[in-house]
Amino acid sequence: MSSSNSRSKSGMSSGAEPVMDANLAVALDALLAEESVTRAAARLHTSPAAMSRTLARLRRILQDPLLVRAGQTMVPTPRARALREETAAVVRRLGALLAPGAGVDPAVLRSTFTLQVADVVGAALAPGMLRLAGQEAPGISLRFRAEEWEAGPALREGRIDLEVGAIDHVDPETRVEELVTLRMTAAVRAGHPLTEGNLTPDRLAAADHVVVSRRGRFTGPLDTALAAHGLRRRVVVVLPGHLAAMSLAARSDIVCLIPTALPGAAASPLTDAAFALGLRVLDIPLPLPPLTIGMAWHPRHAADGGHHWLRGAVRRTLRGAGRSAA
Protein backbone atom coordinates (compact mmCIF):
# COMPACT_ATOMS: atom_id res chain seq x y z
CA MET A 1 0.00 0.00 0.00
CA SER A 2 2.73 2.42 0.97
CA SER A 3 4.68 1.53 -2.21
CA SER A 4 1.63 2.35 -4.34
CA ASN A 5 1.10 5.65 -2.52
CA SER A 6 4.74 6.51 -3.03
CA ARG A 7 4.46 6.01 -6.77
CA SER A 8 1.30 8.12 -6.91
CA LYS A 9 2.99 10.99 -5.08
CA SER A 10 5.90 10.93 -7.51
CA GLY A 11 3.53 11.28 -10.47
CA MET A 12 4.43 7.86 -11.91
CA SER A 13 1.92 5.21 -12.83
CA SER A 14 2.14 1.82 -11.20
CA GLY A 15 5.05 -0.22 -12.54
CA ALA A 16 6.39 2.69 -14.65
CA GLU A 17 9.82 4.24 -14.44
CA PRO A 18 10.78 7.69 -15.76
CA VAL A 19 12.52 7.49 -19.11
CA MET A 20 15.17 10.09 -20.03
CA ASP A 21 16.62 9.30 -23.45
CA ALA A 22 19.45 11.11 -25.20
CA ASN A 23 17.11 13.33 -27.22
CA LEU A 24 15.40 14.51 -24.04
CA ALA A 25 18.77 15.22 -22.44
CA VAL A 26 19.76 17.35 -25.43
CA ALA A 27 16.40 19.16 -25.32
CA LEU A 28 16.76 19.76 -21.57
CA ASP A 29 20.23 21.21 -22.11
CA ALA A 30 18.92 23.58 -24.80
CA LEU A 31 15.97 24.69 -22.67
CA LEU A 32 18.11 25.34 -19.60
CA ALA A 33 20.77 27.15 -21.61
CA GLU A 34 18.36 29.32 -23.63
CA GLU A 35 15.64 29.75 -20.97
CA SER A 36 13.24 30.06 -23.90
CA VAL A 37 11.13 27.52 -25.75
CA THR A 38 11.45 29.46 -29.01
CA ARG A 39 15.24 29.84 -28.85
CA ALA A 40 15.69 26.21 -27.77
CA ALA A 41 13.57 25.10 -30.76
CA ALA A 42 15.70 27.16 -33.14
CA ARG A 43 18.88 25.73 -31.62
CA LEU A 44 17.68 22.17 -32.22
CA HIS A 45 16.11 22.90 -35.66
CA THR A 46 12.60 21.98 -34.54
CA SER A 47 9.34 23.87 -34.04
CA PRO A 48 8.30 25.79 -30.90
CA ALA A 49 5.21 23.57 -30.65
CA ALA A 50 7.34 20.43 -30.64
CA MET A 51 9.69 21.95 -28.06
CA SER A 52 6.71 22.89 -25.87
CA ARG A 53 5.59 19.26 -25.92
CA THR A 54 9.11 18.17 -24.99
CA LEU A 55 9.17 20.61 -22.09
CA ALA A 56 5.84 19.23 -20.86
CA ARG A 57 7.27 15.71 -21.01
CA LEU A 58 10.39 16.78 -19.09
CA ARG A 59 8.21 18.40 -16.46
CA ARG A 60 6.31 15.16 -15.98
CA ILE A 61 9.48 13.07 -15.77
CA LEU A 62 11.37 15.41 -13.42
CA GLN A 63 8.29 16.44 -11.42
CA ASP A 64 9.34 20.09 -11.66
CA PRO A 65 8.13 22.99 -13.86
CA LEU A 66 11.79 23.73 -14.82
CA LEU A 67 10.95 27.04 -16.57
CA VAL A 68 8.21 29.36 -15.34
CA ARG A 69 6.79 32.55 -16.77
CA ALA A 70 8.03 35.85 -15.26
CA GLY A 71 6.53 38.71 -17.22
CA GLN A 72 7.66 38.43 -20.85
CA THR A 73 10.43 35.92 -20.10
CA MET A 74 10.88 32.51 -18.55
CA VAL A 75 13.07 31.85 -15.54
CA PRO A 76 14.53 28.56 -14.29
CA THR A 77 13.38 26.95 -11.06
CA PRO A 78 15.95 26.08 -8.37
CA ARG A 79 15.85 22.47 -9.61
CA ALA A 80 16.55 23.62 -13.17
CA ARG A 81 19.52 25.73 -12.04
CA ALA A 82 20.90 22.74 -10.16
CA LEU A 83 20.52 20.54 -13.24
CA ARG A 84 22.01 22.96 -15.75
CA GLU A 85 25.72 22.21 -15.34
CA GLU A 86 25.26 18.47 -14.97
CA THR A 87 22.96 18.31 -18.01
CA ALA A 88 25.45 20.25 -20.12
CA ALA A 89 28.21 17.83 -19.08
CA VAL A 90 26.07 14.82 -20.01
CA VAL A 91 25.31 16.29 -23.44
CA ARG A 92 29.00 17.02 -24.03
CA ARG A 93 29.82 13.41 -23.22
CA LEU A 94 27.04 12.25 -25.56
CA GLY A 95 28.44 14.50 -28.27
CA ALA A 96 31.90 13.03 -27.86
CA LEU A 97 30.45 9.51 -27.96
CA LEU A 98 28.15 10.11 -30.93
CA ALA A 99 30.20 12.62 -32.91
CA PRO A 100 29.11 12.05 -36.51
CA GLY A 101 31.85 10.99 -38.84
CA ALA A 102 34.47 10.56 -36.11
CA GLY A 103 37.09 8.18 -37.41
CA VAL A 104 35.09 7.36 -40.57
CA ASP A 105 36.95 7.45 -43.87
CA PRO A 106 34.49 8.21 -46.73
CA ALA A 107 36.79 6.35 -49.11
CA VAL A 108 35.90 3.03 -47.46
CA LEU A 109 32.12 3.59 -47.34
CA ARG A 110 30.03 0.96 -49.12
CA SER A 111 26.48 2.27 -48.83
CA THR A 112 23.40 3.14 -50.86
CA PHE A 113 21.61 6.31 -49.81
CA THR A 114 18.01 7.11 -50.74
CA LEU A 115 16.97 10.75 -51.10
CA GLN A 116 13.42 11.99 -51.65
CA VAL A 117 13.45 15.10 -53.82
CA ALA A 118 11.46 17.09 -56.36
CA ASP A 119 12.65 16.51 -59.92
CA VAL A 120 14.43 19.86 -60.25
CA VAL A 121 16.22 19.32 -56.93
CA GLY A 122 17.32 15.86 -58.01
CA ALA A 123 18.60 17.25 -61.31
CA ALA A 124 20.59 19.86 -59.38
CA LEU A 125 21.97 17.45 -56.80
CA ALA A 126 22.91 14.43 -58.90
CA PRO A 127 25.83 15.87 -60.94
CA GLY A 128 27.53 17.64 -58.03
CA MET A 129 27.05 14.79 -55.59
CA LEU A 130 28.37 12.23 -58.06
CA ARG A 131 31.47 14.38 -58.56
CA LEU A 132 32.00 14.56 -54.80
CA ALA A 133 31.38 10.83 -54.43
CA GLY A 134 33.90 10.05 -57.17
CA GLN A 135 36.52 12.15 -55.41
CA GLU A 136 35.80 11.19 -51.80
CA ALA A 137 33.49 8.17 -51.47
CA PRO A 138 33.60 6.06 -54.65
CA GLY A 139 31.92 3.11 -52.93
CA ILE A 140 28.59 4.83 -52.33
CA SER A 141 25.49 4.73 -54.56
CA LEU A 142 22.65 7.26 -54.68
CA ARG A 143 18.95 6.55 -55.21
CA PHE A 144 16.68 9.53 -55.88
CA ARG A 145 12.96 9.06 -55.31
CA ALA A 146 10.14 11.38 -56.31
CA GLU A 147 8.02 13.06 -53.65
CA GLU A 148 5.72 10.07 -53.44
CA TRP A 149 5.71 9.43 -49.69
CA GLU A 150 4.84 11.53 -46.68
CA ALA A 151 8.37 12.30 -45.61
CA GLY A 152 7.90 12.11 -41.83
CA PRO A 153 6.87 8.43 -41.69
CA ALA A 154 9.24 7.54 -44.54
CA LEU A 155 12.19 8.99 -42.62
CA ARG A 156 11.05 7.34 -39.39
CA GLU A 157 10.62 3.94 -41.02
CA GLY A 158 13.93 4.11 -42.89
CA ARG A 159 12.44 4.06 -46.40
CA ILE A 160 14.42 7.21 -47.20
CA ASP A 161 17.63 8.54 -45.67
CA LEU A 162 17.16 12.20 -46.47
CA GLU A 163 14.47 14.55 -47.73
CA VAL A 164 15.76 17.56 -49.67
CA GLY A 165 13.52 20.40 -50.82
CA ALA A 166 10.99 22.83 -49.39
CA ILE A 167 10.43 21.19 -45.99
CA ASP A 168 6.78 21.84 -45.16
CA HIS A 169 6.51 19.51 -42.16
CA VAL A 170 8.32 19.35 -38.84
CA ASP A 171 7.68 16.17 -36.90
CA PRO A 172 8.88 16.41 -33.29
CA GLU A 173 11.80 14.05 -33.87
CA THR A 174 12.80 15.19 -37.36
CA ARG A 175 16.06 17.08 -37.73
CA VAL A 176 15.86 19.92 -40.27
CA GLU A 177 18.63 22.11 -41.66
CA GLU A 178 17.99 25.07 -43.96
CA LEU A 179 20.48 25.11 -46.83
CA VAL A 180 19.76 27.94 -49.25
CA THR A 181 17.14 30.62 -49.86
CA LEU A 182 16.07 31.29 -53.44
CA ARG A 183 13.63 33.51 -55.30
CA MET A 184 11.12 32.64 -58.00
CA THR A 185 11.65 34.04 -61.49
CA ALA A 186 9.92 33.66 -64.85
CA ALA A 187 11.53 31.47 -67.50
CA VAL A 188 10.72 31.70 -71.22
CA ARG A 189 12.23 30.50 -74.49
CA ALA A 190 14.76 32.64 -76.32
CA GLY A 191 12.90 35.10 -78.53
CA HIS A 192 9.75 35.05 -76.41
CA PRO A 193 7.83 38.36 -76.64
CA LEU A 194 8.37 38.96 -72.91
CA THR A 195 12.13 39.19 -73.48
CA GLU A 196 11.58 42.45 -75.38
CA GLY A 197 11.00 45.61 -73.37
CA ASN A 198 10.17 45.92 -69.69
CA LEU A 199 8.34 43.06 -68.02
CA THR A 200 5.33 44.57 -66.27
CA PRO A 201 2.67 42.82 -64.16
CA ASP A 202 0.16 43.40 -66.97
CA ARG A 203 2.37 41.79 -69.61
CA LEU A 204 3.18 38.89 -67.31
CA ALA A 205 -0.50 38.26 -66.55
CA ALA A 206 -1.42 38.39 -70.26
CA ALA A 207 0.93 35.51 -71.13
CA ASP A 208 0.03 31.83 -71.01
CA HIS A 209 1.42 30.00 -67.96
CA VAL A 210 2.21 26.50 -66.78
CA VAL A 211 1.85 25.72 -63.06
CA VAL A 212 3.82 22.97 -61.33
CA SER A 213 1.74 21.17 -58.71
CA ARG A 214 1.79 17.56 -57.58
CA ARG A 215 -1.76 18.07 -56.31
CA GLY A 216 -3.06 19.58 -59.56
CA ARG A 217 -3.58 23.09 -58.22
CA PHE A 218 -3.95 25.96 -60.69
CA THR A 219 -2.93 28.79 -58.37
CA GLY A 220 0.04 29.79 -56.25
CA PRO A 221 1.83 32.83 -54.76
CA LEU A 222 2.11 34.55 -58.15
CA ASP A 223 -1.68 34.59 -58.47
CA THR A 224 -1.97 36.24 -55.05
CA ALA A 225 0.55 38.91 -56.07
CA LEU A 226 -1.22 39.55 -59.36
CA ALA A 227 -4.62 39.74 -57.66
CA ALA A 228 -3.29 42.59 -55.49
CA HIS A 229 -2.95 44.56 -58.76
CA GLY A 230 -6.37 43.49 -60.01
CA LEU A 231 -4.81 41.06 -62.47
CA ARG A 232 -5.35 37.39 -63.23
CA ARG A 233 -3.11 35.17 -65.35
CA ARG A 234 -4.19 32.41 -67.71
CA VAL A 235 -2.93 28.99 -66.65
CA VAL A 236 -3.23 26.70 -69.65
CA VAL A 237 -1.71 23.58 -68.12
CA VAL A 238 -0.72 22.09 -64.76
CA LEU A 239 2.19 19.63 -64.64
CA PRO A 240 3.49 17.56 -61.72
CA GLY A 241 7.20 18.40 -62.23
CA HIS A 242 9.43 21.38 -62.92
CA LEU A 243 11.52 19.65 -65.58
CA ALA A 244 8.44 18.94 -67.70
CA ALA A 245 7.32 22.56 -67.27
CA MET A 246 10.73 23.87 -68.35
CA SER A 247 10.76 21.58 -71.37
CA LEU A 248 7.31 22.86 -72.37
CA ALA A 249 8.39 26.49 -71.93
CA ALA A 250 11.46 25.87 -74.10
CA ARG A 251 9.22 24.69 -76.95
CA SER A 252 6.35 27.18 -76.74
CA ASP A 253 5.37 30.67 -75.62
CA ILE A 254 4.28 29.37 -72.22
CA VAL A 255 5.84 30.93 -69.09
CA CYS A 256 7.07 28.76 -66.22
CA LEU A 257 8.48 29.72 -62.83
CA ILE A 258 11.89 28.53 -61.69
CA PRO A 259 13.95 29.08 -58.51
CA THR A 260 17.11 31.16 -58.88
CA ALA A 261 19.69 32.60 -56.52
CA LEU A 262 19.06 35.81 -54.63
CA PRO A 263 20.75 38.94 -56.04
CA GLY A 264 24.44 38.94 -55.13
CA ALA A 265 24.49 35.24 -54.18
CA ALA A 266 26.33 32.47 -55.99
CA ALA A 267 24.44 30.90 -58.88
CA SER A 268 22.19 28.04 -57.79
CA PRO A 269 22.46 24.59 -59.41
CA LEU A 270 18.66 24.49 -59.36
CA THR A 271 18.78 26.84 -62.37
CA ASP A 272 21.14 24.65 -64.42
CA ALA A 273 18.35 22.65 -66.06
CA ALA A 274 16.66 25.84 -67.28
CA PHE A 275 19.91 27.15 -68.78
CA ALA A 276 20.58 23.76 -70.40
CA LEU A 277 17.20 24.08 -72.16
CA GLY A 278 18.12 27.57 -73.39
CA LEU A 279 15.52 29.35 -71.27
CA ARG A 280 15.79 33.05 -70.51
CA VAL A 281 15.29 34.06 -66.89
CA LEU A 282 13.25 37.20 -66.18
CA ASP A 283 12.81 39.02 -62.88
CA ILE A 284 9.18 39.09 -61.78
CA PRO A 285 8.11 42.69 -61.06
CA LEU A 286 6.04 41.63 -58.05
CA PRO A 287 6.87 40.71 -54.44
CA LEU A 288 6.87 36.93 -54.04
CA PRO A 289 7.76 34.91 -50.94
CA PRO A 290 11.26 33.37 -50.97
CA LEU A 291 11.78 29.64 -51.36
CA THR A 292 13.90 27.95 -48.71
CA ILE A 293 15.51 24.63 -49.60
CA GLY A 294 16.46 22.42 -46.67
CA MET A 295 17.12 18.81 -45.74
CA ALA A 296 15.42 16.64 -43.14
CA TRP A 297 16.55 13.38 -41.57
CA HIS A 298 15.70 11.10 -38.67
CA PRO A 299 17.89 11.58 -35.56
CA ARG A 300 18.96 7.95 -35.57
CA HIS A 301 21.31 8.91 -38.41
CA ALA A 302 22.88 11.86 -36.54
CA ALA A 303 25.93 9.85 -35.42
CA ASP A 304 26.33 7.74 -38.56
CA GLY A 305 29.54 8.55 -40.43
CA GLY A 306 28.13 7.73 -43.84
CA HIS A 307 25.04 9.85 -43.31
CA HIS A 308 27.27 12.65 -42.04
CA TRP A 309 29.13 12.56 -45.37
CA LEU A 310 25.81 12.47 -47.26
CA ARG A 311 24.50 15.59 -45.51
CA GLY A 312 27.78 17.38 -46.13
CA ALA A 313 27.71 16.48 -49.82
CA VAL A 314 24.16 17.83 -50.18
CA ARG A 315 25.14 20.98 -48.33
CA ARG A 316 28.22 21.62 -50.46
CA THR A 317 26.42 20.88 -53.72
CA LEU A 318 23.47 23.21 -53.13
CA ARG A 319 25.70 25.98 -51.77
CA GLY A 320 28.08 25.75 -54.74
CA ALA A 321 31.04 23.86 -53.26
CA GLY A 322 30.22 20.81 -55.36
CA ARG A 323 30.82 22.93 -58.49
CA SER A 324 34.19 24.22 -57.38
CA ALA A 325 35.23 20.63 -56.71
CA ALA A 326 34.70 19.93 -60.40
Side-chain angles (χ1 to χ4, degrees):
M1 185 70 174
S2 61
S3 174
S4 176
N5 289 341
S6 174
R7 280 193 294 267
S8 296
K9 289 177 181 178
S10 69
M12 296 160 51
S13 61
S14 176
E17 294 292 338
V19 176
M20 176 71 78
D21 60 25
N23 288 331
L24 281 176
V26 172
L28 178 60
D29 177 51
L31 286 163
L32 297 184
E34 300 292 344
E35 296 182 4
S36 162
V37 169
T38 301
R39 291 196 299 272
R43 175 171 169 173
L44 298 185
H45 304 293
T46 188
S47 67
M51 185 55 68
S52 292
R53 292 193 293 271
T54 300
L55 176 58
R57 185 178 173 191
L58 287 165
R59 284 168 168 167
R60 290 194 300 271
I61 291 173
L62 298 175
Q63 294 295 295
D64 188 90
L66 299 174
L67 296 174
V68 296
R69 180 67 60 184
Q72 297 299 313
T73 62
M74 300 190 80
V75 297
T77 65
R79 176 81 186 282
R81 287 195 297 268
L83 287 171
R84 179 181 289 152
E85 186 174 342
E86 183 179 354
T87 302
V90 168
V91 171
R92 284 195 299 270
R93 289 195 294 272
L94 282 171
L97 177 65
L98 304 178
V104 174
D105 182 1
V108 302
L109 287 174
R110 298 293 183 269
S111 302
T112 297
F113 295 111
T114 301
L115 297 83
Q116 180 160 296
V117 297
D119 60 349
V120 69
V121 177
L125 279 176
M129 292 191 67
L130 288 175
R131 285 194 293 267
L132 290 174
Q135 295 164 2
E136 303 171 10
I140 70 122
S141 299
L142 300 172
R143 177 192 294 120
F144 291 92
R145 298 198 67 114
E147 298 172 295
E148 55 190 317
W149 289 324
E150 186 179 349
L155 289 168
R156 188 183 311 119
E157 296 163 10
R159 288 178 285 166
I160 59 175
D161 297 297
L162 201 63
E163 178 194 10
V164 185
I167 310 298
D168 57 3
H169 65 91
V170 183
D171 294 332
E173 74 271 25
T174 302
R175 303 285 179 86
V176 178
E177 178 183 341
E178 294 184 356
L179 297 171
V180 63
T181 299
L182 307 170
R183 63 190 176 116
M184 299 306 294
T185 56
V188 297
R189 65 169 180 83
H192 191 286
L194 290 183
T195 62
E196 302 294 330
N198 293 329
L199 180 60
T200 64
D202 293 82
R203 294 184 68 203
L204 181 62
D208 289 342
H209 290 254
V210 55
V211 166
V212 176
S213 172
R214 289 186 297 118
R215 298 178 176 87
R217 294 172 179 165
F218 275 77
T219 59
L222 177 57
D223 300 280
T224 302
L226 287 170
H229 289 72
L231 299 171
R232 182 177 180 179
R233 64 174 171 163
R234 171 173 159 74
V235 176
V236 297
V237 62
V238 177
L239 293 174
H242 288 85
L243 295 181
M246 292 181 199
S247 179
L248 178 62
R251 293 167 171 81
S252 68
D253 281 343
I254 289 177
V255 179
C256 73
L257 300 187
I258 63 169
T260 59
L262 295 175
S268 170
L270 271 75
T271 317
D272 287 352
F275 291 151
L277 287 167
L279 292 174
R280 296 282 302 277
V281 176
L282 307 175
D283 289 337
I284 295 175
L286 294 164
L288 295 179
L291 172 68
T292 298
I293 301 296
M295 58 181 171
W297 67 96
H298 193 272
R300 69 170 173 274
H301 293 304
D304 179 74
H307 203 279
H308 180 65
W309 180 89
L310 175 69
R311 299 194 303 271
V314 170
R315 188 182 299 115
R316 287 182 285 163
T317 299
L318 288 185
R319 290 177 179 171
R323 294 181 167 194
S324 61

